[in-house]
Amino acid sequence: MSGHGAPLPMMARRGGTLRGVAKVPGDKSISHRALILGALAVGETRITGLLEGQDVLDTAHAMRAFGAEVTHMGHGEWVVHGVGVGGFAEPEDVIDCGNSGTGVRLIMGAMASSPITATFTGDASLRKRPMGRVTEPLTLFGAAAYGRSGGRLPMTVVGAAGPVPVRYAVPIASAQVKSAVLLAGLNAPGQTVVIEGAATRDHTERMLAGFGADITTEDSDTGRVITLTGQPELRPQSIAVPCDPSSAAFPVCAALIVEGADVLVPGIGLNPTRAGLFTTLQEMGADLAFENRREEGGEPVADLRARFSPGMKGIEVPPERAPTMIDEYPILSVVAAFAEGATVMRGVRELRVKESDRIDAMARGLEACGVRVEEDEDMLIVHGMGPGGVPGGATCATHLDHRIAMSFLCAGMAAKDPVGIDDAAPISTSFPMFEPLMEALGAQFVRGGIS
Ligand code: S3P
């Protein structure tokens, strides 16, 4: 929900090490999709391991507003009674997606090809983010959207009464845009085709196939061509949500930079469209071991062991890898600060329109901690100071961004002096148990600012 309570300053300081098993929560991307597709199926979908972070709770609330029955059975277990493709009811009130770009963009897609009208809003972070990238293709189906200047929320979407299928080449690397078009295509007769130049996370395609939709993906010279046949009857599923690699990134990266650390994260989702961070860390010389590789709920998973890696070197991260690690650049920049030499991250302009401008947030915070950085519109370079070499001793602004907050707390676990953040509250959007989980490993957090 968009109401944001009082800020919660917090700091992390060096001391002890990190050891043990870190059980990270369910995947945020998969959790949103499980609720939305469950709501569009006919009958009862059962979900286990759902992320119970605020972003996903807001999507559950929204699905109820569109007419689905969504029941919390306890501890990650949820049941959704769907209304079928084309069965969404018109919500009686404004849909508040809180902090979640994924929630609002996917839900806009899911309702845009039905003859209903919905108004969407979110918190101060979400109200700054561009929605035109989604509403533009949705108008091709016959929908209309009226928002604030720059395509910002609050925004009203008038769904198409007689939707037509669409062929759309996504102009940016965005799984949210791709998914919004595919979800709108569900209620359009005939074939909706989405072409993406760079492969982005494919959870929507995998899950649509699991629910029985006719969907194919082919690689061509122009990119991935995804073809969906509209108006299927989606069959309800049992979905086991794997652990989120983007959340796992925090205990894993903290282990790499804290002296003596040895952490095991079981059951991490390792979908190749999400695993770019781990490839990058290995290229830098990180001590990572993937154990017990297996498949769960249609997604590849493994247990990941991460150990303190004092020999890490800065590298040039290939720009074409960006879509597979787009949410991991903040924590990668922290690891880079503790490596030797420069880590060069190019092709990352999308970071400027996430929950915050993540290039700016990381650059300012790292500078305040005594790290030299260079940036331009599409690039960030971090000049590493070696293991234990980051001075710290600053309070970093998190701009309502959970990943910025967790990144700087990880930096504080290894820096010479403590690192504070102005607000830890947004962490609950994706990783509600971050603080106790990291403390159980040995992290030293103090609520309140650096005095
Ligand atoms: C997501 C896609 C990515 C990512 C976000 C989750 C998704 O956004 O940053 O956290 O679940 O589809 P973009 O589609 O804007 O790249």
Side-chain angles (χ1 to χ4, degrees), residues 28-29 33 102 105-106 129 133 173-177 179 201 326-327 350 354-355 358 403:
K28 183 147 72 77
S29 293
R33 287 156 172 84
T102 307
R105 291 179 176 133
L106 267 55
R129 298 179 66 185
R133 53 179 55 199
S174 169
Q176 293 175 359
V177 176
S179 301
R201 66 192 68 195
I326 194 67
D327 292 334
E350 272 296 300
K354 297 294 179 188
E355 286 83 330
R358 287 180 172 163
R403 299 201 200 280

mmCIF file with all atom_site columns, all heavy atoms in Angstrom, residues 28-29 33 102 105-106 129 133 173-177 179 201 326-327 350 354-355 358 403, ligand 1:
data_model
loop_
_atom_site.group_PDB
_atom_site.id
_atom_site.type_symbol
_atom_site.label_atom_id
_atom_site.label_alt_id
_atom_site.label_comp_id
_atom_site.label_asym_id
_atom_site.label_entity_id
_atom_site.label_seq_id
_atom_site.pdbx_PDB_ins_code
_atom_site.Cartn_x
_atom_site.Cartn_y
_atom_site.Cartn_z
_atom_site.occupancy
_atom_site.B_iso_or_equiv
_atom_site.pdbx_formal_charge
_atom_site.auth_seq_id
_atom_site.auth_comp_id
_atom_site.auth_asym_id
_atom_site.auth_atom_id
_atom_site.pdbx_PDB_model_num
ATOM   1   N N   . LYS A 1 28  ? 10.063 -13.000 -5.960  1.00 0.00 ? 28  LYS A N   1
ATOM   2   C CA  . LYS A 1 28  ? 9.056  -11.936 -6.063  1.00 0.00 ? 28  LYS A CA  1
ATOM   3   C C   . LYS A 1 28  ? 8.378  -11.958 -7.431  1.00 0.00 ? 28  LYS A C   1
ATOM   4   O O   . LYS A 1 28  ? 7.156  -11.868 -7.534  1.00 0.00 ? 28  LYS A O   1
ATOM   5   C CB  . LYS A 1 28  ? 9.735  -10.587 -5.800  1.00 0.00 ? 28  LYS A CB  1
ATOM   6   C CG  . LYS A 1 28  ? 8.783  -9.401  -5.803  1.00 0.00 ? 28  LYS A CG  1
ATOM   7   C CD  . LYS A 1 28  ? 9.230  -8.331  -4.836  1.00 0.00 ? 28  LYS A CD  1
ATOM   8   C CE  . LYS A 1 28  ? 10.456 -7.582  -5.317  1.00 0.00 ? 28  LYS A CE  1
ATOM   9   N NZ  . LYS A 1 28  ? 10.138 -6.588  -6.365  1.00 0.00 ? 28  LYS A NZ  1
ATOM   10  N N   . SER A 1 29  ? 9.161  -12.095 -8.493  1.00 0.00 ? 29  SER A N   1
ATOM   11  C CA  . SER A 1 29  ? 8.579  -12.099 -9.848  1.00 0.00 ? 29  SER A CA  1
ATOM   12  C C   . SER A 1 29  ? 7.607  -13.257 -10.013 1.00 0.00 ? 29  SER A C   1
ATOM   13  O O   . SER A 1 29  ? 6.500  -13.102 -10.557 1.00 0.00 ? 29  SER A O   1
ATOM   14  C CB  . SER A 1 29  ? 9.693  -12.261 -10.892 1.00 0.00 ? 29  SER A CB  1
ATOM   15  O OG  . SER A 1 29  ? 10.514 -11.128 -10.897 1.00 0.00 ? 29  SER A OG  1
ATOM   16  N N   . ARG A 1 33  ? 3.266  -13.362 -10.469 1.00 0.00 ? 33  ARG A N   1
ATOM   17  C CA  . ARG A 1 33  ? 2.667  -14.062 -11.616 1.00 0.00 ? 33  ARG A CA  1
ATOM   18  C C   . ARG A 1 33  ? 1.753  -15.200 -11.160 1.00 0.00 ? 33  ARG A C   1
ATOM   19  O O   . ARG A 1 33  ? 0.732  -15.476 -11.787 1.00 0.00 ? 33  ARG A O   1
ATOM   20  C CB  . ARG A 1 33  ? 3.782  -14.578 -12.532 1.00 0.00 ? 33  ARG A CB  1
ATOM   21  C CG  . ARG A 1 33  ? 4.461  -13.437 -13.330 1.00 0.00 ? 33  ARG A CG  1
ATOM   22  C CD  . ARG A 1 33  ? 5.856  -13.830 -13.745 1.00 0.00 ? 33  ARG A CD  1
ATOM   23  N NE  . ARG A 1 33  ? 6.480  -12.874 -14.661 1.00 0.00 ? 33  ARG A NE  1
ATOM   24  C CZ  . ARG A 1 33  ? 7.124  -11.759 -14.295 1.00 0.00 ? 33  ARG A CZ  1
ATOM   25  N NH1 . ARG A 1 33  ? 7.191  -11.413 -13.019 1.00 0.00 ? 33  ARG A NH1 1
ATOM   26  N NH2 . ARG A 1 33  ? 7.684  -10.979 -15.206 1.00 0.00 ? 33  ARG A NH2 1
ATOM   27  N N   . THR A 1 102 ? 6.347  -4.073  -10.870 1.00 0.00 ? 102 THR A N   1
ATOM   28  C CA  . THR A 1 102 ? 5.915  -5.340  -11.475 1.00 0.00 ? 102 THR A CA  1
ATOM   29  C C   . THR A 1 102 ? 4.418  -5.520  -11.261 1.00 0.00 ? 102 THR A C   1
ATOM   30  O O   . THR A 1 102 ? 3.676  -5.845  -12.208 1.00 0.00 ? 102 THR A O   1
ATOM   31  C CB  . THR A 1 102 ? 6.672  -6.523  -10.842 1.00 0.00 ? 102 THR A CB  1
ATOM   32  O OG1 . THR A 1 102 ? 8.063  -6.271  -10.929 1.00 0.00 ? 102 THR A OG1 1
ATOM   33  C CG2 . THR A 1 102 ? 6.353  -7.825  -11.550 1.00 0.00 ? 102 THR A CG2 1
ATOM   34  N N   . ARG A 1 105 ? 2.318  -2.928  -13.451 1.00 0.00 ? 105 ARG A N   1
ATOM   35  C CA  . ARG A 1 105 ? 2.420  -3.099  -14.903 1.00 0.00 ? 105 ARG A CA  1
ATOM   36  C C   . ARG A 1 105 ? 1.784  -4.415  -15.353 1.00 0.00 ? 105 ARG A C   1
ATOM   37  O O   . ARG A 1 105 ? 1.106  -4.466  -16.373 1.00 0.00 ? 105 ARG A O   1
ATOM   38  C CB  . ARG A 1 105 ? 3.879  -2.987  -15.338 1.00 0.00 ? 105 ARG A CB  1
ATOM   39  C CG  . ARG A 1 105 ? 4.402  -1.551  -15.167 1.00 0.00 ? 105 ARG A CG  1
ATOM   40  C CD  . ARG A 1 105 ? 5.851  -1.445  -15.569 1.00 0.00 ? 105 ARG A CD  1
ATOM   41  N NE  . ARG A 1 105 ? 6.335  -0.073  -15.504 1.00 0.00 ? 105 ARG A NE  1
ATOM   42  C CZ  . ARG A 1 105 ? 7.496  0.281   -14.932 1.00 0.00 ? 105 ARG A CZ  1
ATOM   43  N NH1 . ARG A 1 105 ? 8.271  -0.628  -14.366 1.00 0.00 ? 105 ARG A NH1 1
ATOM   44  N NH2 . ARG A 1 105 ? 7.879  1.551   -14.936 1.00 0.00 ? 105 ARG A NH2 1
ATOM   45  N N   . LEU A 1 106 ? 1.989  -5.481  -14.600 1.00 0.00 ? 106 LEU A N   1
ATOM   46  C CA  . LEU A 1 106 ? 1.385  -6.757  -14.993 1.00 0.00 ? 106 LEU A CA  1
ATOM   47  C C   . LEU A 1 106 ? -0.136 -6.716  -14.850 1.00 0.00 ? 106 LEU A C   1
ATOM   48  O O   . LEU A 1 106 ? -0.865 -7.237  -15.686 1.00 0.00 ? 106 LEU A O   1
ATOM   49  C CB  . LEU A 1 106 ? 1.971  -7.911  -14.159 1.00 0.00 ? 106 LEU A CB  1
ATOM   50  C CG  . LEU A 1 106 ? 3.175  -8.621  -14.788 1.00 0.00 ? 106 LEU A CG  1
ATOM   51  C CD1 . LEU A 1 106 ? 4.306  -7.694  -15.142 1.00 0.00 ? 106 LEU A CD1 1
ATOM   52  C CD2 . LEU A 1 106 ? 3.673  -9.749  -13.894 1.00 0.00 ? 106 LEU A CD2 1
ATOM   53  N N   . ARG A 1 129 ? 7.545  6.636   -11.533 1.00 0.00 ? 129 ARG A N   1
ATOM   54  C CA  . ARG A 1 129 ? 8.090  5.728   -12.550 1.00 0.00 ? 129 ARG A CA  1
ATOM   55  C C   . ARG A 1 129 ? 7.247  5.731   -13.830 1.00 0.00 ? 129 ARG A C   1
ATOM   56  O O   . ARG A 1 129 ? 6.031  5.935   -13.785 1.00 0.00 ? 129 ARG A O   1
ATOM   57  C CB  . ARG A 1 129 ? 8.200  4.313   -11.957 1.00 0.00 ? 129 ARG A CB  1
ATOM   58  C CG  . ARG A 1 129 ? 9.162  4.297   -10.775 1.00 0.00 ? 129 ARG A CG  1
ATOM   59  C CD  . ARG A 1 129 ? 9.279  2.943   -10.143 1.00 0.00 ? 129 ARG A CD  1
ATOM   60  N NE  . ARG A 1 129 ? 9.901  1.976   -11.037 1.00 0.00 ? 129 ARG A NE  1
ATOM   61  C CZ  . ARG A 1 129 ? 10.026 0.684   -10.755 1.00 0.00 ? 129 ARG A CZ  1
ATOM   62  N NH1 . ARG A 1 129 ? 9.542  0.212   -9.618  1.00 0.00 ? 129 ARG A NH1 1
ATOM   63  N NH2 . ARG A 1 129 ? 10.616 -0.118  -11.598 1.00 0.00 ? 129 ARG A NH2 1
ATOM   64  N N   . ARG A 1 133 ? 5.564  2.984   -21.094 1.00 0.00 ? 133 ARG A N   1
ATOM   65  C CA  . ARG A 1 133 ? 6.172  1.817   -21.740 1.00 0.00 ? 133 ARG A CA  1
ATOM   66  C C   . ARG A 1 133 ? 5.198  0.627   -21.776 1.00 0.00 ? 133 ARG A C   1
ATOM   67  O O   . ARG A 1 133 ? 5.319  -0.245  -22.633 1.00 0.00 ? 133 ARG A O   1
ATOM   68  C CB  . ARG A 1 133 ? 7.458  1.431   -20.993 1.00 0.00 ? 133 ARG A CB  1
ATOM   69  C CG  . ARG A 1 133 ? 7.258  1.231   -19.521 1.00 0.00 ? 133 ARG A CG  1
ATOM   70  C CD  . ARG A 1 133 ? 8.518  0.832   -18.766 1.00 0.00 ? 133 ARG A CD  1
ATOM   71  N NE  . ARG A 1 133 ? 9.637  1.716   -18.937 1.00 0.00 ? 133 ARG A NE  1
ATOM   72  C CZ  . ARG A 1 133 ? 10.904 1.389   -18.679 1.00 0.00 ? 133 ARG A CZ  1
ATOM   73  N NH1 . ARG A 1 133 ? 11.199 0.189   -18.223 1.00 0.00 ? 133 ARG A NH1 1
ATOM   74  N NH2 . ARG A 1 133 ? 11.875 2.235   -18.877 1.00 0.00 ? 133 ARG A NH2 1
ATOM   75  N N   . ALA A 1 173 ? 14.735 -3.569  -22.983 1.00 0.00 ? 173 ALA A N   1
ATOM   76  C CA  . ALA A 1 173 ? 14.777 -4.901  -22.361 1.00 0.00 ? 173 ALA A CA  1
ATOM   77  C C   . ALA A 1 173 ? 13.935 -4.845  -21.102 1.00 0.00 ? 173 ALA A C   1
ATOM   78  O O   . ALA A 1 173 ? 14.375 -4.339  -20.078 1.00 0.00 ? 173 ALA A O   1
ATOM   79  C CB  . ALA A 1 173 ? 16.215 -5.284  -22.023 1.00 0.00 ? 173 ALA A CB  1
ATOM   80  N N   . SER A 1 174 ? 12.697 -5.323  -21.173 1.00 0.00 ? 174 SER A N   1
ATOM   81  C CA  . SER A 1 174 ? 11.819 -5.258  -20.003 1.00 0.00 ? 174 SER A CA  1
ATOM   82  C C   . SER A 1 174 ? 10.869 -6.453  -19.946 1.00 0.00 ? 174 SER A C   1
ATOM   83  O O   . SER A 1 174 ? 9.999  -6.610  -20.803 1.00 0.00 ? 174 SER A O   1
ATOM   84  C CB  . SER A 1 174 ? 10.999 -3.965  -20.006 1.00 0.00 ? 174 SER A CB  1
ATOM   85  O OG  . SER A 1 174 ? 9.998  -4.053  -19.010 1.00 0.00 ? 174 SER A OG  1
ATOM   86  N N   . ALA A 1 175 ? 11.046 -7.256  -18.906 1.00 0.00 ? 175 ALA A N   1
ATOM   87  C CA  . ALA A 1 175 ? 10.144 -8.398  -18.700 1.00 0.00 ? 175 ALA A CA  1
ATOM   88  C C   . ALA A 1 175 ? 8.760  -7.914  -18.299 1.00 0.00 ? 175 ALA A C   1
ATOM   89  O O   . ALA A 1 175 ? 7.761  -8.589  -18.549 1.00 0.00 ? 175 ALA A O   1
ATOM   90  C CB  . ALA A 1 175 ? 10.707 -9.314  -17.634 1.00 0.00 ? 175 ALA A CB  1
ATOM   91  N N   . GLN A 1 176 ? 8.702  -6.748  -17.662 1.00 0.00 ? 176 GLN A N   1
ATOM   92  C CA  . GLN A 1 176 ? 7.395  -6.240  -17.257 1.00 0.00 ? 176 GLN A CA  1
ATOM   93  C C   . GLN A 1 176 ? 6.564  -5.858  -18.477 1.00 0.00 ? 176 GLN A C   1
ATOM   94  O O   . GLN A 1 176 ? 5.373  -6.151  -18.553 1.00 0.00 ? 176 GLN A O   1
ATOM   95  C CB  . GLN A 1 176 ? 7.560  -5.041  -16.320 1.00 0.00 ? 176 GLN A CB  1
ATOM   96  C CG  . GLN A 1 176 ? 8.167  -5.436  -14.978 1.00 0.00 ? 176 GLN A CG  1
ATOM   97  C CD  . GLN A 1 176 ? 8.450  -4.254  -14.073 1.00 0.00 ? 176 GLN A CD  1
ATOM   98  O OE1 . GLN A 1 176 ? 8.212  -3.098  -14.441 1.00 0.00 ? 176 GLN A OE1 1
ATOM   99  N NE2 . GLN A 1 176 ? 8.967  -4.536  -12.889 1.00 0.00 ? 176 GLN A NE2 1
ATOM   100 N N   . VAL A 1 177 ? 7.204  -5.197  -19.450 1.00 0.00 ? 177 VAL A N   1
ATOM   101 C CA  . VAL A 1 177 ? 6.469  -4.799  -20.660 1.00 0.00 ? 177 VAL A CA  1
ATOM   102 C C   . VAL A 1 177 ? 6.059  -6.055  -21.438 1.00 0.00 ? 177 VAL A C   1
ATOM   103 O O   . VAL A 1 177 ? 4.892  -6.204  -21.844 1.00 0.00 ? 177 VAL A O   1
ATOM   104 C CB  . VAL A 1 177 ? 7.321  -3.852  -21.534 1.00 0.00 ? 177 VAL A CB  1
ATOM   105 C CG1 . VAL A 1 177 ? 6.588  -3.539  -22.835 1.00 0.00 ? 177 VAL A CG1 1
ATOM   106 C CG2 . VAL A 1 177 ? 7.641  -2.570  -20.775 1.00 0.00 ? 177 VAL A CG2 1
ATOM   107 N N   . SER A 1 179 ? 5.575  -8.998  -20.341 1.00 0.00 ? 179 SER A N   1
ATOM   108 C CA  . SER A 1 179 ? 4.542  -9.739  -19.615 1.00 0.00 ? 179 SER A CA  1
ATOM   109 C C   . SER A 1 179 ? 3.195  -9.035  -19.693 1.00 0.00 ? 179 SER A C   1
ATOM   110 O O   . SER A 1 179 ? 2.151  -9.693  -19.816 1.00 0.00 ? 179 SER A O   1
ATOM   111 C CB  . SER A 1 179 ? 4.956  -9.895  -18.146 1.00 0.00 ? 179 SER A CB  1
ATOM   112 O OG  . SER A 1 179 ? 6.179  -10.579 -18.062 1.00 0.00 ? 179 SER A OG  1
ATOM   113 N N   . ARG A 1 201 ? 13.735 -12.041 -18.186 1.00 0.00 ? 201 ARG A N   1
ATOM   114 C CA  . ARG A 1 201 ? 13.214 -13.164 -17.381 1.00 0.00 ? 201 ARG A CA  1
ATOM   115 C C   . ARG A 1 201 ? 11.947 -13.727 -18.025 1.00 0.00 ? 201 ARG A C   1
ATOM   116 O O   . ARG A 1 201 ? 11.074 -12.959 -18.471 1.00 0.00 ? 201 ARG A O   1
ATOM   117 C CB  . ARG A 1 201 ? 13.001 -12.746 -15.931 1.00 0.00 ? 201 ARG A CB  1
ATOM   118 C CG  . ARG A 1 201 ? 11.933 -11.732 -15.701 1.00 0.00 ? 201 ARG A CG  1
ATOM   119 C CD  . ARG A 1 201 ? 12.005 -11.168 -14.280 1.00 0.00 ? 201 ARG A CD  1
ATOM   120 N NE  . ARG A 1 201 ? 13.213 -10.365 -14.111 1.00 0.00 ? 201 ARG A NE  1
ATOM   121 C CZ  . ARG A 1 201 ? 13.704 -9.976  -12.942 1.00 0.00 ? 201 ARG A CZ  1
ATOM   122 N NH1 . ARG A 1 201 ? 13.091 -10.301 -11.829 1.00 0.00 ? 201 ARG A NH1 1
ATOM   123 N NH2 . ARG A 1 201 ? 14.799 -9.246  -12.876 1.00 0.00 ? 201 ARG A NH2 1
ATOM   124 N N   . ILE A 1 326 ? 19.593 -7.450  -13.736 1.00 0.00 ? 326 ILE A N   1
ATOM   125 C CA  . ILE A 1 326 ? 19.276 -6.019  -13.662 1.00 0.00 ? 326 ILE A CA  1
ATOM   126 C C   . ILE A 1 326 ? 19.047 -5.547  -12.218 1.00 0.00 ? 326 ILE A C   1
ATOM   127 O O   . ILE A 1 326 ? 19.403 -4.424  -11.862 1.00 0.00 ? 326 ILE A O   1
ATOM   128 C CB  . ILE A 1 326 ? 18.081 -5.674  -14.591 1.00 0.00 ? 326 ILE A CB  1
ATOM   129 C CG1 . ILE A 1 326 ? 17.983 -4.175  -14.786 1.00 0.00 ? 326 ILE A CG1 1
ATOM   130 C CG2 . ILE A 1 326 ? 16.772 -6.288  -14.123 1.00 0.00 ? 326 ILE A CG2 1
ATOM   131 C CD1 . ILE A 1 326 ? 19.112 -3.560  -15.557 1.00 0.00 ? 326 ILE A CD1 1
ATOM   132 N N   . ASP A 1 327 ? 18.484 -6.405  -11.364 1.00 0.00 ? 327 ASP A N   1
ATOM   133 C CA  . ASP A 1 327 ? 18.212 -5.983  -9.985  1.00 0.00 ? 327 ASP A CA  1
ATOM   134 C C   . ASP A 1 327 ? 19.423 -6.146  -9.074  1.00 0.00 ? 327 ASP A C   1
ATOM   135 O O   . ASP A 1 327 ? 19.361 -5.780  -7.891  1.00 0.00 ? 327 ASP A O   1
ATOM   136 C CB  . ASP A 1 327 ? 17.038 -6.780  -9.413  1.00 0.00 ? 327 ASP A CB  1
ATOM   137 C CG  . ASP A 1 327 ? 15.725 -6.412  -10.107 1.00 0.00 ? 327 ASP A CG  1
ATOM   138 O OD1 . ASP A 1 327 ? 15.625 -5.281  -10.612 1.00 0.00 ? 327 ASP A OD1 1
ATOM   139 O OD2 . ASP A 1 327 ? 14.822 -7.255  -10.149 1.00 0.00 ? 327 ASP A OD2 1
ATOM   140 N N   . GLU A 1 350 ? 18.624 1.452   -17.584 1.00 0.00 ? 350 GLU A N   1
ATOM   141 C CA  . GLU A 1 350 ? 17.333 1.055   -16.984 1.00 0.00 ? 350 GLU A CA  1
ATOM   142 C C   . GLU A 1 350 ? 17.342 1.201   -15.458 1.00 0.00 ? 350 GLU A C   1
ATOM   143 O O   . GLU A 1 350 ? 16.309 1.346   -14.832 1.00 0.00 ? 350 GLU A O   1
ATOM   144 C CB  . GLU A 1 350 ? 16.989 -0.387  -17.368 1.00 0.00 ? 350 GLU A CB  1
ATOM   145 C CG  . GLU A 1 350 ? 16.234 -0.516  -18.676 1.00 0.00 ? 350 GLU A CG  1
ATOM   146 C CD  . GLU A 1 350 ? 14.856 0.144   -18.632 1.00 0.00 ? 350 GLU A CD  1
ATOM   147 O OE1 . GLU A 1 350 ? 14.034 -0.246  -17.806 1.00 0.00 ? 350 GLU A OE1 1
ATOM   148 O OE2 . GLU A 1 350 ? 14.618 1.074   -19.423 1.00 0.00 ? 350 GLU A OE2 1
ATOM   149 N N   . LYS A 1 354 ? 14.214 2.441   -11.826 1.00 0.00 ? 354 LYS A N   1
ATOM   150 C CA  . LYS A 1 354 ? 13.751 1.403   -10.893 1.00 0.00 ? 354 LYS A CA  1
ATOM   151 C C   . LYS A 1 354 ? 13.101 2.077   -9.680  1.00 0.00 ? 354 LYS A C   1
ATOM   152 O O   . LYS A 1 354 ? 12.713 3.235   -9.764  1.00 0.00 ? 354 LYS A O   1
ATOM   153 C CB  . LYS A 1 354 ? 14.929 0.505   -10.489 1.00 0.00 ? 354 LYS A CB  1
ATOM   154 C CG  . LYS A 1 354 ? 15.527 -0.262  -11.662 1.00 0.00 ? 354 LYS A CG  1
ATOM   155 C CD  . LYS A 1 354 ? 14.554 -1.277  -12.214 1.00 0.00 ? 354 LYS A CD  1
ATOM   156 C CE  . LYS A 1 354 ? 15.121 -2.028  -13.391 1.00 0.00 ? 354 LYS A CE  1
ATOM   157 N NZ  . LYS A 1 354 ? 14.131 -2.882  -14.037 1.00 0.00 ? 354 LYS A NZ  1
ATOM   158 N N   . GLU A 1 355 ? 13.016 1.357   -8.543  1.00 0.00 ? 355 GLU A N   1
ATOM   159 C CA  . GLU A 1 355 ? 12.378 1.928   -7.364  1.00 0.00 ? 355 GLU A CA  1
ATOM   160 C C   . GLU A 1 355 ? 13.011 3.270   -7.000  1.00 0.00 ? 355 GLU A C   1
ATOM   161 O O   . GLU A 1 355 ? 12.391 4.126   -6.375  1.00 0.00 ? 355 GLU A O   1
ATOM   162 C CB  . GLU A 1 355 ? 12.454 0.957   -6.186  1.00 0.00 ? 355 GLU A CB  1
ATOM   163 C CG  . GLU A 1 355 ? 11.498 -0.230  -6.294  1.00 0.00 ? 355 GLU A CG  1
ATOM   164 C CD  . GLU A 1 355 ? 12.026 -1.380  -7.140  1.00 0.00 ? 355 GLU A CD  1
ATOM   165 O OE1 . GLU A 1 355 ? 12.820 -1.151  -8.098  1.00 0.00 ? 355 GLU A OE1 1
ATOM   166 O OE2 . GLU A 1 355 ? 11.641 -2.538  -6.869  1.00 0.00 ? 355 GLU A OE2 1
ATOM   167 N N   . ARG A 1 358 ? 18.954 4.047   -9.408  1.00 0.00 ? 358 ARG A N   1
ATOM   168 C CA  . ARG A 1 358 ? 19.928 3.214   -8.681  1.00 0.00 ? 358 ARG A CA  1
ATOM   169 C C   . ARG A 1 358 ? 21.378 3.554   -9.005  1.00 0.00 ? 358 ARG A C   1
ATOM   170 O O   . ARG A 1 358 ? 22.267 3.277   -8.191  1.00 0.00 ? 358 ARG A O   1
ATOM   171 C CB  . ARG A 1 358 ? 19.650 1.722   -8.935  1.00 0.00 ? 358 ARG A CB  1
ATOM   172 C CG  . ARG A 1 358 ? 18.410 1.264   -8.192  1.00 0.00 ? 358 ARG A CG  1
ATOM   173 C CD  . ARG A 1 358 ? 18.095 -0.203  -8.398  1.00 0.00 ? 358 ARG A CD  1
ATOM   174 N NE  . ARG A 1 358 ? 17.016 -0.586  -7.499  1.00 0.00 ? 358 ARG A NE  1
ATOM   175 C CZ  . ARG A 1 358 ? 16.291 -1.691  -7.635  1.00 0.00 ? 358 ARG A CZ  1
ATOM   176 N NH1 . ARG A 1 358 ? 16.527 -2.532  -8.629  1.00 0.00 ? 358 ARG A NH1 1
ATOM   177 N NH2 . ARG A 1 358 ? 15.342 -1.968  -6.762  1.00 0.00 ? 358 ARG A NH2 1
ATOM   178 N N   . ARG A 1 403 ? 16.402 -2.474  -2.385  1.00 0.00 ? 403 ARG A N   1
ATOM   179 C CA  . ARG A 1 403 ? 17.715 -3.045  -2.762  1.00 0.00 ? 403 ARG A CA  1
ATOM   180 C C   . ARG A 1 403 ? 18.869 -2.093  -2.413  1.00 0.00 ? 403 ARG A C   1
ATOM   181 O O   . ARG A 1 403 ? 19.975 -2.541  -2.114  1.00 0.00 ? 403 ARG A O   1
ATOM   182 C CB  . ARG A 1 403 ? 17.732 -3.447  -4.238  1.00 0.00 ? 403 ARG A CB  1
ATOM   183 C CG  . ARG A 1 403 ? 16.693 -4.520  -4.538  1.00 0.00 ? 403 ARG A CG  1
ATOM   184 C CD  . ARG A 1 403 ? 16.939 -5.310  -5.785  1.00 0.00 ? 403 ARG A CD  1
ATOM   185 N NE  . ARG A 1 403 ? 15.701 -5.938  -6.213  1.00 0.00 ? 403 ARG A NE  1
ATOM   186 C CZ  . ARG A 1 403 ? 15.185 -7.063  -5.703  1.00 0.00 ? 403 ARG A CZ  1
ATOM   187 N NH1 . ARG A 1 403 ? 15.818 -7.703  -4.750  1.00 0.00 ? 403 ARG A NH1 1
ATOM   188 N NH2 . ARG A 1 403 ? 14.041 -7.550  -6.138  1.00 0.00 ? 403 ARG A NH2 1
HETATM 189 C C1  . S3P B 2 .   ? 10.632 -7.780  -13.179 1.00 0.00 ? 1   S3P B C1  1
HETATM 190 C C2  . S3P B 2 .   ? 11.285 -7.244  -14.245 1.00 0.00 ? 1   S3P B C2  1
HETATM 191 C C3  . S3P B 2 .   ? 12.386 -6.261  -14.105 1.00 0.00 ? 1   S3P B C3  1
HETATM 192 C C4  . S3P B 2 .   ? 12.926 -6.207  -12.683 1.00 0.00 ? 1   S3P B C4  1
HETATM 193 C C5  . S3P B 2 .   ? 11.836 -6.203  -11.659 1.00 0.00 ? 1   S3P B C5  1
HETATM 194 C C6  . S3P B 2 .   ? 10.988 -7.453  -11.787 1.00 0.00 ? 1   S3P B C6  1
HETATM 195 C C7  . S3P B 2 .   ? 9.543  -8.750  -13.421 1.00 0.00 ? 1   S3P B C7  1
HETATM 196 O O1  . S3P B 2 .   ? 11.887 -4.983  -14.449 1.00 0.00 ? 1   S3P B O1  1
HETATM 197 O O2  . S3P B 2 .   ? 13.751 -5.079  -12.515 1.00 0.00 ? 1   S3P B O2  1
HETATM 198 O O3  . S3P B 2 .   ? 12.364 -6.146  -10.348 1.00 0.00 ? 1   S3P B O3  1
HETATM 199 O O4  . S3P B 2 .   ? 9.128  -9.444  -12.470 1.00 0.00 ? 1   S3P B O4  1
HETATM 200 O O5  . S3P B 2 .   ? 9.094  -8.847  -14.572 1.00 0.00 ? 1   S3P B O5  1
HETATM 201 P P1  . S3P B 2 .   ? 11.864 -4.433  -15.987 1.00 0.00 ? 1   S3P B P1  1
HETATM 202 O O6  . S3P B 2 .   ? 10.877 -5.206  -16.738 1.00 0.00 ? 1   S3P B O6  1
HETATM 203 O O7  . S3P B 2 .   ? 11.491 -2.980  -15.836 1.00 0.00 ? 1   S3P B O7  1
HETATM 204 O O8  . S3P B 2 .   ? 13.264 -4.622  -16.462 1.00 0.00 ? 1   S3P B O8  1
#
